[in-house]
Amino acid sequence: MALGRYSRVDGRRSSSTSSTVVFVVFIGLCLVGVWMMTSSSIVPAVQNVDDTKNEVQTQLKEIGATSKSNGISEEETSSESESNTRSDTYSDVESNASSNTNSDNTSGENTSRDVNSNSRGGDENKSQSKNFHEDNPGTLPEDSTEGDNVKVSSNERTISQPEKTSQGSADYNLEQKPAKQSRDQLINLEERPKSGTGYEEDTKEDVVSNTKDQESKVSENQSETDEKNSVDEKSYSKGQGDSEDDLKATTSKSNEEKDKPENSSEPENKDKSKTEDTIQEKSEEISSEKNDLLPSAAQSELLNETMDADVRWKTQAAESKKEAEKSEPARITGSGWKVCNVTAGPDYIPCLDNLQAIRSLRSRGHFQHRERHCPDDPPTCLVSLPENYQRSIQWPTSREKIWYHNVPHTQLAEYKGHQNWVKVSGEYLAFPGGGTQMIRGALTYIDTIQKFVPDIAWGKQSRVALDVGCGVASFGGFLFDRDSLVMSFAPKDEHQAQVQFALERGIPAIVSVMGTKRLPFPGKVFDVVHCARCRVPWHAEGGKLLLELNRVLRPGGYFVWSATPVYEKEPEDVQIWEAMKKLLKAICWEVISIYKDKKNRVGVAVFKKPYSNECYEKRSEEEPPLCKDSDDPNASWNVPLQACMHKIPTGATERGSKWPEQWPARMEKPPYWLLSSQVGIYGKPAPDDFVADYKHWKRVVSTLYVTGMGIDWSTVRNVMDMRAIYGGFAAALREMKVWVMNVVNIDSPDTLPIIYERGLIGMYHDWCESFNTYPRTYDLIHADHLFSYIKTKCNFEALVVEVDRILRPEGKLIVRDTVQIISELETMYKSMQWDVRMTYAKDTEGFLCVQKSMWRPREAITLPYAIADKADIAREMKLKEDLKKIPRGNKRSSKSKSKRKREKAG
């Protein structure tokens, strides 16, 4: 019934008033009874009973009307004055009732607070600015914060607007745009009916009309009070250790049958029906699109995951046959944070700077020292900031220049400055847009490739590319102008901060190396693989490294190689070129184009992977061999490299047997290989699941993230979705000038191929370990029900610290998780001096948006495994000296012995 749906709105505000009414009526009746018994005349006593009843009713009307309104109208004020004149005789009754109420029930304080607050007048309330404050509700009990928090309750959601604290948090003025249905409409929804037709009349009809009805009302109100107390016991609060200045959003549930008055008269029902119609009419325009912004798991199929519903959903852990280490959940300290004292300082990457593990390696010949070596106990200290660090320059200006003090490394500029990579220019590091192979600029280079290979069709046929040995990632940075998305990677090597430069510029990149293990991507996902003078020995060891590219390259995809062996005539280059031609023929890659620019001394060779197994079957020699059928090409987490080729899929419903839809159609359309017979993550047939997920995130992003949270999206460029599922969150941000790193946990359903199929990028990761990126590289991080999962699996506090490490100062973290997790995260990030911008709770589900500050602790803690010893320092110094000896410029000579020795040593 419609009345019951919104009755909780009235019931919540009038619970304390109902308690007062109970005592007023009860005390009044007792006094009247005593007076009647002691009276000498029966007839006057009866007459006085009626008079008493009428005057008590008048006062009850005034109390009820006052408690149910934010402001008191002129009519109500006049009525109250008249009532006080007529009821002086009963002032003692009200005083006694109030005294008894305060001693027995704290809700009496609430009534007093409401009356005093309302006595200031309705005009003051109406003039209040509808601003969204950054600070959130704290630990005050719900009855003590009524009137402070603005709440909207329905079957779908509960949202609270927190009060601004004394900390001086900034306000975010949100425009009220009914067409876009902003968050203000949710916040203001409750205020509208109060000034609407039928609200005051509803109050007047709630008064008892005879002694029998009074007794019934006493019983009914007492029942409602008990019910309210029961609900309040389940309310969401943070605990006793929190500040009273912080107000906490609370959960609420509507109960249609219990909130409906049992003894309501027909006029009363009509007036309440009017109230219901008013509320529903003014909320219909937003309820259809916002009813599932944060639904409970029971109310929304989109949040009710059924991961084990279909065995077809593999996990990366199962595919890679690797079990992640488990440990007891960490104790949440909430205070006592310390800065990590490590040799890498502000550039610390825990799994790549484990110097103790690196020193114990038996060999470095295959770049083992650049691979992941995570500490047994992940760090729980905070990474320091570079001196004079400041907010990153916004995209697209950041593609041309960045602040020098944010990445204060000049070695790459000294070594590669003549090749147009990066130059020091005052307080900036400038990126001319070229490189060793892009002398006339990256865009000219990109367009030249398409000129000689029209089928590559950047931004249509070719949407997702992999850039190997990316340098400062200018190739990927300028392909944005052609609507292509590039995953760039390079090792944390002697050049210093290649990937850090790329990320500071706003270009997708990770720290990785082609060493002894597979890259963290599924098989057959990249449309193009690019390598510009990446110095990778593709032909060595049976072509093991080139065969890794063959694994991740889509059938029919292109390999673009612009390196010295393509155009130089030095003996070593000629030898490499001949070995490459032989290897490329053996793996059936077709030569599409070889372009040489003699004037600029550069060249580009483009090869194409076959669409079928026909060439494999016709080879005279089975070298390299085909991989065993048991070898899963999607398994990549800690899987050793193998010198074999995986067969090309041929079935009509197998992934890789067809090219995806052209961009941007591929983003919205379910992949052809996603079958209806397969159950999706949320329990629907997989294609329907895909569509529902996309619609869900489009609605959430457009109505809450973009317009309802006060985020200046012009400052957001690098975004991470820590638990991506289908990539719906990233797809919903397509119109924004951002890129999203979609992360799929290794023991979650393996949906990463779907993400690539729709033209987005991502990688596998185990969030029990640190991520392969430099500190301060993401502007916004999104975590949908990740923290609650990690808490049952590994070190919860370490993940909280990892988010702090990779998020830029003033960056935002958006978390959707259980109420308990939201409360814990809020406590921990507050202790790091982060600003809480928004909290939200509904049933067991919660929402949190926080902003990282510049604060760093003064006290430090040393991590012995990340401290360099004398041998490490000597090795680093020798490496720098070897770099200085390498010839510069376009004129190349044969590699010196020192260079070959350096490459062999890594």
Side-chain angles (χ1 to χ4, degrees):
M1 185 173 180
L3 177 63
R5 181 179 181 183
Y6 290 91
S7 60
R8 178 60 66 186
V9 177
D10 298 339
R12 183 187 296 109
R13 290 190 171 275
S14 60
S15 61
S16 57
T17 303
S18 300
S19 179
T20 303
V21 170
V22 170
F23 282 98
V24 168
V25 174
F26 179 79
I27 296 297
L29 291 174
C30 290
L31 292 176
V32 169
V34 172
W35 184 80
M36 290 173 61
M37 293 175 65
T38 58
S39 176
S40 60
S41 175
I42 297 177
V43 174
V46 173
Q47 293 174 345
N48 283 330
V49 168
D50 294 334
D51 293 339
T52 301
K53 184 167 57 179
N54 292 334
E55 291 190 35
V56 169
Q57 291 174 4
T58 301
Q59 293 188 24
L60 292 180
K61 290 179 183 178
E62 293 163 3
I63 294 173
T66 301
S67 66
K68 289 189 178 182
S69 174
N70 273 345
I72 305 176
S73 64
E74 293 180 3
E75 179 181 349
E76 289 171 303
T77 304
S78 176
S79 175
E80 179 182 357
S81 177
E82 182 180 357
S83 174
N84 288 337
T85 302
R86 288 188 288 105
S87 59
D88 289 340
T89 307
Y90 295 94
S91 60
D92 292 337
V93 174
E94 284 189 2
S95 177
N96 292 336
S98 176
S99 176
N100 291 335
T101 302
N102 288 334
S103 64
D104 295 334
N105 194 332
T106 58
S107 62
E109 296 178 7
N110 214 37
T111 303
S112 177
R113 184 184 297 106
D114 287 343
V115 173
N116 292 336
S117 175
N118 290 331
S119 67
R120 292 193 293 269
D123 292 338
E124 180 180 346
N125 286 332
K126 291 179 181 178
S127 65
Q128 290 178 351
S129 175
K130 297 176 178 62
N131 293 337
F132 168 57
H133 302 291
E134 289 183 7
D135 291 327
N136 69 303
T139 59
L140 296 179
E142 186 178 16
D143 59 350
S144 67
T145 60
E146 287 187 46
D148 294 332
N149 292 340
V150 180
K151 301 177 182 178
V152 175
S153 179
S154 70
N155 286 340
E156 307 295 337
R157 60 195 177 278
T158 296
I159 188 166
S160 70
Q161 179 182 2
E163 178 182 86
K164 184 175 181 179
T165 67
S166 60
Q167 296 177 357
S169 301
D171 294 345
Y172 289 84
N173 297 322
L174 306 178
E175 288 186 15
Q176 294 191 19
K177 300 179 180 179
K180 292 187 177 180
Q181 301 176 355
S182 67
R183 181 180 176 275
D184 279 335
Q185 292 173 303
L186 281 177
I187 295 175
N188 297 331
L189 180 59
E190 187 179 352
E191 296 180 356
R192 295 174 182 170
K194 295 179 182 180
S195 60
T197 304
Y199 200 87
E200 290 83 8
E201 289 83 353
D202 201 33
T203 303
K204 295 177 182 179
E205 293 294 338
D206 284 336
V207 183
V208 294
S209 60
N210 51 60
T211 304
K212 182 177 180 180
D213 288 341
Q214 286 177 346
E215 295 173 353
S216 175
K217 198 71 177 180
V218 168
S219 176
E220 178 184 343
N221 285 332
Q222 183 63 43
S223 176
E224 289 185 0
T225 301
D226 294 340
E227 177 196 345
K228 178 65 168 58
N229 291 337
S230 176
V231 173
D232 286 345
E233 290 177 0
K234 301 178 181 179
S235 295
Y236 165 41
S237 62
K238 283 172 48 182
Q240 298 180 357
D242 301 319
S243 170
E244 290 186 354
D245 290 332
D246 301 320
L247 301 177
K248 191 69 185 175
T250 61
T251 60
S252 70
K253 300 180 181 179
S254 60
N255 190 320
E256 298 184 1
E257 295 301 324
K258 291 186 179 181
D259 289 340
K260 178 181 176 182
E262 295 178 2
N263 298 321
S264 58
S265 62
E266 182 177 350
E268 185 175 354
N269 286 336
K270 288 182 179 179
D271 287 330
K272 291 194 174 183
S273 179
K274 284 183 180 180
T275 303
E276 166 60 20
D277 291 342
T278 302
I279 296 174
Q280 188 162 2
E281 178 182 354
K282 294 186 178 182
S283 64
E284 274 181 353
E285 59 184 274
I286 64 173
S287 62
S288 61
E289 290 193 9
K290 299 190 79 109
N291 63 357
D292 129 44
L293 294 186
L294 190 65
S296 66
Q299 292 172 324
S300 172
E301 294 176 321
L302 290 175
L303 293 181
N304 187 17
E305 298 182 18
T306 56
M307 296 184 189
D308 57 348
D310 193 335
V311 295
R312 295 186 186 181
W313 286 111
K314 299 180 180 179
T315 65
Q316 184 57 209
E319 292 165 350
S320 303
K321 299 180 181 180
K322 176 183 182 299
E323 294 183 1
E325 295 182 2
K326 297 184 178 180
S327 60
E328 293 296 326
R331 178 179 60 88
I332 299 178
T333 60
S335 61
W337 299 109
K338 299 180 181 180
V339 170
C340 301
N341 178 22
V342 293
T343 299
D347 298 334
Y348 177 52
I349 306 176
C351 289
L352 299 181
D353 290 319
N354 187 352
L355 302 179
Q356 186 178 36
I358 293 173
R359 283 193 293 267
S360 64
L361 293 173
R362 296 182 178 180
S363 172
R364 300 189 178 195
H366 293 85
F367 285 83
Q368 291 94 330
H369 59 300
R370 302 298 183 196
E371 295 180 329
R372 291 172 61 83
H373 302 282
C374 299
D376 294 334
D377 296 320
T380 54
C381 50
L382 308 183
V383 176
S384 59
L385 292 178
E387 188 176 355
N388 298 321
Y389 179 88
Q390 55 189 314
R391 188 174 188 169
S392 300
I393 296 174
Q394 295 181 19
W395 179 269
T397 306
S398 62
R399 185 170 60 182
E400 318 299 332
K401 63 181 181 180
I402 62 175
W403 295 114
Y404 164 75
H405 289 292
N406 286 12
V407 191
H409 299 295
T410 60
Q411 187 169 325
L412 189 60
E414 295 168 0
Y415 178 56
K416 293 287 187 180
H418 66 288
Q419 295 179 351
N420 241 17
W421 279 31
V422 55
K423 298 179 182 295
V424 179
S425 177
E427 59 182 348
Y428 300 104
L429 289 170
F431 302 87
T436 312
Q437 307 300 114
M438 309 174 194
I439 296 176
R440 290 180 291 176
L443 272 178
T444 300
Y445 172 80
I446 289 167
D447 292 339
T448 299
I449 294 172
Q450 181 160 313
K451 177 182 177 181
F452 285 90
V453 188
D455 290 343
I456 208 165
W458 299 118
K460 294 181 180 179
Q461 184 79 355
S462 299
R463 162 66 182 174
V464 185
L466 178 68
D467 191 12
V468 182
C470 62
V472 295
S474 291
F475 176 75
F478 283 91
L479 260 177
F480 278 109
D481 293 350
R482 299 296 180 262
D483 220 6
S484 289
L485 192 57
V486 181
M487 172 73 80
S488 301
F489 78 89
K492 186 176 182 180
D493 64 358
E494 67 276 5
H495 287 160
Q496 286 190 336
Q498 294 180 81
V499 169
Q500 193 173 18
F501 283 137
L503 288 162
E504 185 70 17
R505 296 175 70 187
I507 303 170
I510 60 170
V511 184
S512 191
V513 65
M514 298 199 73
T516 66
K517 299 176 182 178
R518 289 179 176 177
L519 297 170
F521 313 116
K524 310 180 293 294
V525 292
F526 289 103
D527 305 330
V528 177
V529 175
H530 174 259
C531 170
R533 203 167 181 173
C534 49
R535 296 192 299 127
V536 177
W538 300 117
H539 62 288
E541 300 186 62
K544 184 180 293 186
L545 299 181
L546 190 64
L547 290 171
E548 173 61 5
L549 295 188
N550 185 73
R551 181 184 71 86
V552 300
L553 186 62
R554 190 184 304 280
Y558 297 93
F559 174 54
V560 179
W561 189 38
S562 66
T564 55
V566 176
Y567 57 88
E568 288 286 358
K569 298 299 181 182
E570 298 292 338
E572 187 174 12
D573 290 322
V574 172
Q575 181 182 357
I576 293 174
W577 177 246
E578 293 299 324
M580 277 292 288
K581 286 197 299 183
K582 182 179 179 181
L583 177 60
L584 291 166
K585 183 178 179 181
I587 65 174
C588 297
W589 283 14
E590 177 186 359
V591 179
I592 300 298
S593 175
I594 299 177
Y595 165 73
K596 296 181 180 180
D597 185 344
K598 295 181 180 179
K599 180 180 179 180
N600 295 303
R601 297 179 65 85
V602 296
V604 180
V606 182
F607 308 91
K608 186 176 182 179
K609 182 178 177 179
Y611 270 118
S612 68
N613 295 307
E614 183 179 357
C615 176
Y616 296 164
E617 297 168 354
K618 292 182 178 179
R619 291 186 304 165
S620 57
E621 296 182 7
E622 294 185 358
E623 284 294 334
L626 293 175
C627 298
K628 297 179 180 179
D629 293 338
S630 60
D631 190 329
D632 189 344
N634 296 317
S636 62
W637 190 254
N638 286 342
V639 175
L641 290 176
Q642 298 181 43
C644 66
M645 298 182 301
H646 294 90
K647 291 181 180 180
I648 305 295
T650 57
T653 59
E654 289 187 79
R655 182 172 67 85
S657 61
K658 299 178 184 177
W659 196 266
E661 297 279 341
Q662 286 198 345
W663 177 264
R666 66 192 286 184
M667 188 190 71
E668 300 183 10
K669 188 175 181 180
Y672 65 90
W673 44 267
L674 203 58
L675 307 178
S676 297
S677 59
Q678 183 177 5
V679 179
I681 304 302
Y682 306 115
K684 297 180 179 180
D688 297 337
D689 227 36
F690 175 96
V691 173
D693 178 79
Y694 180 45
K695 289 181 179 179
H696 165 72
W697 285 113
K698 281 188 67 177
R699 182 166 56 253
V700 171
V701 168
S702 63
T703 57
L704 180 61
Y705 290 3
V706 173
T707 61
M709 295 177 61
I711 294 177
D712 181 2
W713 283 86
S714 66
T715 64
V716 177
R717 172 61 182 172
N718 303 350
V719 180
M720 174 184 284
D721 191 356
M722 299 179 73
R723 183 172 176 268
I725 310 295
Y726 298 120
F729 169 69
L733 292 173
R734 185 175 77 87
E735 300 299 329
M736 312 287 288
K737 294 182 179 180
V738 303
W739 65 270
V740 181
M741 176 67 74
N742 294 282
V743 181
V744 174
N745 209 58
I746 61 167
D747 50 6
S748 296
D750 188 4
T751 54
L752 193 54
I754 298 175
I755 292 172
Y756 275 97
E757 190 80 4
R758 67 192 307 184
L760 305 171
I761 60 173
M763 62 180 287
Y764 296 117
H765 184 60
D766 182 358
W767 281 116
C768 290
E769 302 174 354
S770 74
F771 192 77
N772 267 22
T773 191
Y774 284 90
R776 305 170 303 279
T777 50
Y778 286 89
D779 301 302
L780 187 144
I781 296 177
H782 183 254
D784 184 13
H785 291 80
L786 172 72
F787 284 92
S788 55
Y789 167 72
I790 289 299
K791 189 169 185 180
T792 64
K793 185 172 180 287
C794 47
N795 195 322
F796 180 77
E797 187 176 356
L799 180 60
V800 172
V801 169
E802 176 67 2
V803 170
D804 175 87
R805 186 184 73 86
I806 65 180
L807 188 64
R808 288 173 175 170
E810 299 187 10
K812 316 298 188 301
L813 168 66
I814 299 175
V815 182
R816 299 160 65 91
D817 219 305
T818 65
V819 165
Q820 180 183 357
I821 291 296
I822 293 299
S823 178
E824 293 179 7
L825 289 176
E826 184 178 356
T827 300
M828 297 180 76
Y829 283 123
K830 275 187 175 181
S831 70
M832 296 181 189
Q833 309 300 318
W834 288 29
D835 296 326
V836 178
R837 302 175 62 89
M838 181 178 178
T839 56
Y840 179 108
K842 173 68 177 87
D843 296 341
T844 60
E845 296 295 314
F847 179 93
L848 175 69
C849 178
V850 286
Q851 177 175 297
K852 180 180 175 181
S853 68
M854 292 277 189
W855 177 83
R856 295 289 91 175
R858 295 184 179 180
E859 189 176 354
I861 182 172
T862 299
L863 303 181
Y865 57 81
I867 300 295
D869 60 13
K870 293 182 179 179
D872 296 323
I873 297 174
R875 188 181 297 108
E876 192 69 22
M877 293 298 295
K878 185 178 184 303
L879 208 55
K880 292 181 180 180
E881 290 300 321
D882 287 344
L883 282 174
K884 294 179 181 179
K885 297 177 183 178
I886 298 176
R888 301 184 179 185
N890 289 329
K891 186 177 179 180
R892 284 182 76 250
S893 60
S894 298
K895 293 182 181 178
S896 62
K897 291 182 179 180
S898 62
K899 184 176 180 180
R900 287 195 296 268
K901 184 177 180 181
R902 179 182 59 79
E903 289 186 345
K904 184 177 180 180

